[in-house]
Amino acid sequence: MNILLLGANGQVGHALREPLAMLGRLTCATRSGRLDDGGECLQADLADAGSLARALDASEATIIVNAAAYTAVDRAEDEPGLADRINHVAVAEIGAWALRHEALVVHYSTDYVFDGRNDRPWHENDATAPLGAYGQGKLAGEQALRDSGARHLILRTAWVYAARGQNFLRTMLRLAGERDELRVVDDQVGAPTPAGWIAQTTAKVLRRWLAMSEQEREISLGTYHLTASLRCSWFEFAQAIMREAQSAGLLDKSPRMLPIASADYPTRAKRPAFSVLDNAKLALVFGQQPRPWQEGLHEVIGELAAARSNGETS
């Protein structure tokens, strides 16, 4: 079985390398054609149709895992064409190739396909209404993959972070070392989800799917939500980060934390106020039960502490 991993240098892509390699012959692809450790891999720039097509052909993939995306939510408002090319048009091209070659596509999407106006966790079949260019592109990509006719699993996730890369946790830790006071939005709610959990669950879902009968495989195709369980605001997440980081010896002291409204921290793109996703379908079909977000935070802070003690940087 040949597995092509697109976006292998990203937060989720990096975490996917090890578990996917245990399922078959893994081929990694990045925009530059190099992995973050300097090693060579396939080049697949989703902004370039020719680059993507060459990578797909070279991989001879039977499973394509698309962890590549345009994720600069605010910048997407100023370059919607590029965001749409990567998050929508390229996904349509992946789907068309997969249909011709009878490959399965695993594609990641986002809570941003919803408008955030809800008081219960979002279900997969709830009405979508993205608030900005990023969410619009991701939703269009979902629909393009469905319309392609290719076999696919769309995994929507939210509030993704890791011990590496650019994310909320690492930003909070950096600012904690620079400032005595942090003002953090308290009226946006979600479930912080480690990239490592997404990767591990993806591999387990694929392993379960591959073990199914052909009829079961077809029935199980579609869209799923994949996040940690429980919920918190960004402010509550930031508070928990400071507590865990101090306990792990990553911070000498914690800055004073002040909750603010989204209106007090204007951004180019509007964020959904309620991003909690319902994971029941993933548990029902693939037996994957979500774990509380607090456990994920403890694990990721542990990774950072271990890296520091080993003199590593990320």
Side-chain angles (χ1 to χ4, degrees):
M1 183 171 56
N2 295 330
I3 303 170
L4 172 63
L5 172 59
L6 298 168
N9 278 343
Q11 287 186 117
V12 174
H14 186 273
L16 279 163
R17 294 184 206 170
E18 185 175 334
L20 288 183
M22 299 176 68
L23 295 177
R25 186 174 74 88
L26 177 64
T27 299
C28 291
T30 67
R31 185 172 56 185
S32 66
R34 287 195 173 274
L35 298 172
D36 46 19
D37 62 5
E40 292 187 359
C41 65
L42 282 183
Q43 181 180 20
D45 183 355
L46 270 65
D48 180 344
S51 171
L52 176 59
R54 287 189 293 273
L56 290 167
D57 288 340
S59 73
E60 299 181 344
T62 50
I63 296 177
I64 303 163
V65 180
N66 182 29
Y70 182 110
T71 58
V73 175
D74 290 318
R75 197 163 69 235
E77 298 300 313
D78 298 314
E79 45 187 29
L82 179 59
D84 186 73
R85 163 64 221 178
I86 294 171
N87 291 341
H88 164 209
V89 179
V91 179
E93 293 165 356
I94 293 168
W97 189 96
L99 178 65
R100 293 195 304 271
H101 295 82
E102 299 183 342
L104 170 73
V105 180
V106 178
H107 175 67
Y108 297 98
S109 193
T110 173
D111 58 299
Y112 276 71
V113 301
F114 299 114
D115 63 12
R117 299 184 180 97
N118 211 344
D119 56 4
R120 59 151 178 81
W122 294 95
H123 298 139
E124 287 83 353
N125 59 354
D126 281 334
T128 51
L131 300 175
Y134 169 70
Q136 289 163 4
K138 292 297 288 184
L139 179 59
E142 286 187 11
Q143 195 55 50
L145 182 54
R146 296 183 189 108
D147 292 344
S148 73
R151 296 195 295 181
H152 65 270
L153 295 168
I154 295 171
L155 305 177
R156 290 182 184 143
T157 189
W159 289 32
V160 180
Y161 69 101
R164 62 185 303 280
Q166 297 181 0
N167 55 66
F168 182 82
L169 176 140
R170 287 173 57 85
T171 298
M172 288 296 104
L173 291 178
R174 175 177 56 80
L175 293 176
E178 300 171 354
R179 302 180 185 179
D180 296 324
E181 179 180 286
L182 291 180
R183 296 157 56 85
V184 184
V185 168
D186 195 33
D187 58 0
Q188 294 174 23
V189 177
T193 306
W197 283 13
I198 296 169
Q200 292 159 17
T201 302
T202 299
K204 291 175 182 175
V205 164
L206 279 172
R207 191 179 296 277
R208 180 72 67 92
W209 187 82
L210 290 166
M212 291 177 174
S213 67
E214 193 59 34
Q215 182 180 19
E216 289 172 328
R217 287 183 181 184
E218 292 300 319
I219 293 171
S220 68
L221 297 173
T223 304
Y224 294 84
H225 289 168
L226 194 178
T227 66
S229 64
L230 307 182
R231 65 186 73 172
C232 63
S233 70
W234 286 119
F235 174 73
E236 291 167 333
F237 186 32
Q239 285 184 309
I241 289 170
M242 300 307 159
R243 287 194 300 268
E244 287 282 350
Q246 273 197 285
S247 177
L250 294 176
L251 291 177
D252 294 329
K253 63 181 182 65
S254 177
R256 189 160 70 102
M257 308 290 292
L258 296 178
I260 62 171
S262 297
D264 298 323
Y265 186 75
T267 54
R268 185 76 175 85
K270 188 174 182 182
R271 268 69 173 166
F274 190 81
S275 292
V276 182
L277 304 181
D278 188 295
N279 296 286
K281 182 181 174 184
L282 192 70
L284 177 66
V285 177
F286 291 105
Q288 299 304 306
Q289 297 287 348
R291 293 165 57 196
W293 67 264
Q294 295 93 332
E295 293 182 13
L297 174 60
H298 183 75
E299 289 183 9
V300 174
I301 290 292
E303 288 179 43
L304 285 169
R308 174 178 288 189
S309 66
N310 292 331
E312 301 171 10
T313 58
S314 57

